[in-house]
Amino acid sequence: MTDLDTLAAEAYLYGFPLVFDLEQVVRYTSTGVGSNPQAPFNAFSHARTLATAADTFVSINNDTVYSMASLDLGVGPVRLSVPASDRYHVLQFVDAWTDNFAYVGTRGTGNDAGEFLIVPPGWDGDAEGSTVIHSPTRVASIVGRWSCSGVEDLPAVHALQDATTLTPLDPGAVATGVPAVEAQGDDVLDFWEKYRVWSQAFPPAPRDEALQASFAALGLTGDAPVGKLSDEQRAALRAGFEGGAGVIATAMAGAATGAEPGAWSATLHVFDYNLDFFEAGAMDDPAWKIADPKIRIVERAVAAKAGLWGNHGYEAAYVMTFLDGDGQPLTGEHEYELQLSPPPPVGAFWSVTMYALPEFYLVANEIDRYSVGDRTPGIITDADGGLTIRISRTRPSDPDAAANWLPAPEGAFRPILRMYMPGEAVLNGTYSPTPITRLD
């Protein structure tokens, strides 16, 4: 690779989270995503069902019902009203660069009713008795999750969703949203044009300004569309796109491989790239910060690709694996067993969710079951409260195994163990699930 190619690969790793994030913001405000209907800026889109295979979003969970909102604080402050709740919930705030900068909910601010004022960068005004949440970027997202134990629990969740509202203080202000980007002729150049336009519209954290400015030689900091750049620049952007994507793919594969065959990879710190913005419920603690700037940029890109809008480890811990106990890739061609005994130590609840590769989407199956956990109806627990989960493409013939069946796709898959409000044994690494055992 030339020096310009290398620079473009660095730009891809830096810019991928911004582009990937804002593409989803555009989806939510224009067409909706899966069971979350379209909603304009500064209004909630409430899913009314648990996620299914129809929800084509990276690593979406099946434990909670989503309440999503795209914020455009160009209209000025927006008031968030949250009702009292007796169940686990979290409203996670994510800026345009995918920094998790605030958490409202059970762990972060408690289960009491609350009033919050979400304000744009540089705002300095009267909070009117509300808790102020400063957004690092004009456009941001609220990713809300309400614990739901099944269909019979949905009416109670719906009531809480309906009582959760956003109200701009200036009702006449008009949201401008995400700047439109003209097509440049192919997907690669379209990516770079989105990055060029959006990186200028949504300034990064001050610590990243110099890095962003260093991409001037690629034509990414100017006014000219990338389709009109020199042949050398466009060739470098194509090489950088491929090289950066390869780095992400390699990092994802490496992160999923433990020290021992089939060991689960704990991603407790994959979302620790926010070093600058800490509002309500967000922990400003060196233990939850990636200090190395190069590692931070790569981790941010990997986190966006594999689990966009995932929580910090202190809110919800995610562990995953692509391999069985013999170190072989997990695939629907075989049958497996996972023993979680004793059960994961959590303050809220836990589950194992199935995802097909390479998209990391939920898996369609005959019983519409996408996860198995401590709240799954009809499961058979072990003597210590743990669970032995059967993983296979077809329904097991044994009744006990069928009760604890997690359906798999025909091809490669990756399960994720989610632990909401993880206990200290999870956070300090002394708890780890056993490898998945192949049965055939």
Side-chain angles (χ1 to χ4, degrees), residues 273-354:
Y273 42 80
N274 173 26
L275 306 182
D276 301 284
F277 310 110
F278 301 95
E279 300 295 310
M283 293 180 61
D284 185 0
D285 184 332
W288 297 99
K289 296 179 182 180
I290 299 173
D292 187 304
K294 291 187 176 180
I295 293 176
R296 181 176 69 89
I297 294 299
V298 173
E299 285 289 347
R300 186 176 68 179
V302 172
K305 179 67 174 180
L308 183 67
W309 300 344
N311 286 297
H312 272 92
Y314 53 75
E315 181 70 41
Y318 312 113
V319 299
M320 63 192 72
T321 183
F322 290 72
L323 307 175
D324 64 22
D326 295 321
Q328 299 301 306
L330 297 168
T331 170
E333 298 173 357
H334 303 293
E335 294 187 2
Y336 304 91
E337 188 173 85
L338 169 61
Q339 288 188 319
L340 295 173
S341 184
V346 294
F349 61 95
W350 63 268
S351 72
V352 178
T353 307
M354 175 63 66

Side-chain angles (χ1 to χ4, degrees), residues 223-245:
D223 298 328
V226 297
K228 296 184 180 299
L229 297 176
S230 69
D231 291 345
E232 181 185 20
Q233 287 171 316
R234 284 186 282 113
L237 292 177
R238 293 185 186 282
F241 183 100
E242 182 177 354

Side-chain angles (χ1 to χ4, degrees), residues 94-107:
V94 189
D95 74 6
W97 292 90
T98 70
D99 290 318
N100 295 332
F101 63 92
Y103 291 94
V104 170
T106 304
R107 182 205 57 82

Side-chain angles (χ1 to χ4, degrees), residues 82-89 105-107 109-114:
V82 181
S85 171
D86 60 356
R87 70 181 60 225
Y88 173 81
H89 67 285
T106 304
R107 182 205 57 82
T109 58
N111 280 347
D112 292 338

